Amino acid sequence: ALSENDVAHAKALRNEWLDEAARIFASHDFFLLPSAQVFPFDVSQAYPKSIGGTQMDTYHRWMEVSIPASLLGLPALAVPCGQAHGQHMGMQIVAKHGADGALLAFGRAYESAFAEAASISDRAPPPGFGIDEI
């Protein structure tokens, strides 16, 4: 069970994250994150046991990159962003509180650009969005 101090500490940490998000959104409309910390892995593997030499102690650790938007209650979209070495990857587009409409409009524009690029070259993302370019 969580103690009162545990809950107070968690609230303080969340407030720090909210302050940082406010700082980011003061000068940016969106921020982008990968949708996962690893490329797809073999279906027989429950989850990656390590990433970049860091041990994953539980199943959910390899998906921690999805926590910020959820923790802060921010609107987010997950979209494809290309592939590297035959492995597909997605990214999250995260917007500030109340910017759901702007996020959906941006997502629609991204989808159109991605579809156009995909018709030109084998499912390639639009310039600037590819994993290989990061």
Side-chain angles (χ1 to χ4, degrees):
L2 294 174
S3 71
E4 193 173 316
N5 285 340
D6 292 335
V7 172
H9 177 72
K11 284 182 178 180
L13 185 57
R14 182 175 184 262
N15 286 337
E16 289 177 24
W17 282 52
L18 284 167
D19 291 345
E20 184 63 19
R23 187 188 68 72
I24 291 168
F25 289 125
S27 59
H28 297 83
D29 295 326
F30 309 102
F31 67 83
L32 308 178
L33 295 168
S35 57
Q37 282 132 241
V38 295
F39 284 94
F41 46 89
D42 191 281
V43 71
S44 66
Q45 187 179 0
Y47 61 91
K49 302 301 182 200
S50 70
I51 298 174
T54 301
Q55 295 299 310
M56 303 290 107
D57 59 342
T58 65
Y59 171 82
H60 74 279
R61 294 274 186 237
W62 71 276
M63 291 297 297
E64 285 183 330
V65 74
S66 65
I67 291 173
S70 297
L71 176 69
L72 303 177
L74 299 173
L77 291 175
V79 298
C81 69
Q83 56 182 306
H85 313 292
Q87 297 282 17
H88 294 271
M89 181 54 76
M91 72 176 171
Q92 301 170 72
I93 306 168
V94 183
K96 65 182 174 184
H97 286 282
D100 303 59
L103 175 64
L104 291 171
F106 183 81
R108 179 56 136 178
Y110 176 86
E111 179 182 49
S112 295
F114 191 88
E116 184 178 326
S119 69
I120 295 169
S121 67
D122 188 33
R123 302 292 301 167
F129 286 98
I131 293 293
D132 287 328
E133 297 174 24
I134 294 176

